Amino acid sequence: MRTTRPLFVVGVGLTTAAVLGFGTSVSVAVPAASGNSNPAAGHVMVDGHRVVAGSTIGEWGKTKDGELFSFTYEAGKAKPAAPVASASCSVYISDVSFHGAGAGAWFQWETSQACSGSFGSQSLQTQMWRSSWSGPRGYNNWHSSKRTTNSFIDYGWSTDCHDGGGTYTYYPVMQGYASGIGWGPKTRSNNDLRKGCGTRSPNP
């Protein structure tokens, strides 16, 4: 009989600035200028929060003229010049990691979003995707955070592996939302994992 972990998808919202480097403990990060190095090896500061150097950061928003914009850049490198915005958000998704073995294996990742300017509330959603002959498909359902008026949110997620169900390539994606702007573009993790976890998570 297959045993499953009691917690298969979890979102833990943090109301304070938090460490975004995956696999580290959550703690308050000292604000710093975007792109400045952090003493922790392999991490840099982006919008006052610590992220893994080289990670893709997505930024999107609405200009004062009502035009939508979005772009991505690499953490630790120069941020592209952005238009003057009435509201904007930046999103980060960590690399996906794999834990356990057999019937007790699972994927784990983290998502965060920081918004500023004229927005009312924000939230984010995430989903694990897998490869298929016809293109990416959802491995589990979309899962959403609660809406909040906080300027920064950070959530950890996990989903179980259907061990022995076939080998595919897996990676998580995320999408942010802010009232007054709408939905941002989908952003995926920088890495993916080739695992024998089947076509669908046992706990979608």
Side-chain angles (χ1 to χ4, degrees):
M1 175 180 289
R2 175 184 164 76
T3 59
T4 60
R5 296 177 305 109
L7 193 60
F8 55 89
V9 177
V10 63
V12 181
L14 307 177
T15 57
T16 58
V19 171
L20 300 185
F22 200 81
T24 60
S25 60
V26 174
S27 61
V28 175
V30 178
S34 176
N36 287 351
S37 295
N38 187 277
H43 292 78
V44 294
M45 299 301 290
V46 176
D47 295 330
H49 307 290
R50 194 176 79 174
V51 303
V52 177
S55 298
T56 298
I57 305 296
E59 186 152 329
W60 55 283
K62 183 180 288 187
T63 68
K64 293 184 180 295
D65 296 327
E67 298 293 325
L68 297 177
F69 68 89
S70 67
F71 60 87
T72 61
Y73 64 98
E74 188 176 315
K77 294 188 176 179
K79 180 178 176 179
V84 178
S86 62
S88 65
C89 299
S90 61
V91 295
Y92 166 81
I93 183 168
S94 72
D95 284 353
V96 60
S97 57
F98 191 77
H99 305 272
W106 74 94
F107 297 97
Q108 194 168 27
W109 68 100
E110 184 179 355
T111 60
S112 68
Q113 179 169 264
C115 294
S116 61
S118 301
F119 76 96
S121 62
Q122 65 158 315
S123 63
L124 57 81
Q125 63 179 9
T126 189
Q127 185 182 37
M128 178 66 76
W129 285 7
R130 67 162 178 88
S131 61
S132 77
W133 65 270
S134 58
R137 296 192 179 197
Y139 181 63
N140 64 346
N141 299 332
W142 282 99
H143 291 273
S144 301
S145 70
K146 294 180 179 179
R147 287 203 189 180
T148 177
T149 56
N150 293 334
S151 61
F152 176 77
I153 52 177
D154 182 50
Y155 285 83
W157 310 87
S158 65
T159 193
D160 284 344
C161 166
H162 186 188
D163 182 59
T167 301
Y168 298 87
T169 299
Y170 303 87
Y171 57 91
V173 299
M174 70 167 292
Q175 188 176 27
Y177 173 84
S179 59
I181 310 175
W183 286 99
K186 293 180 177 70
T187 304
R188 59 157 289 174
S189 64
N190 282 351
N191 73 326
D192 51 50
L193 301 176
R194 188 77 174 170
K195 298 290 181 181
C197 290
T199 59
R200 188 73 172 164
S201 172
N203 300 108

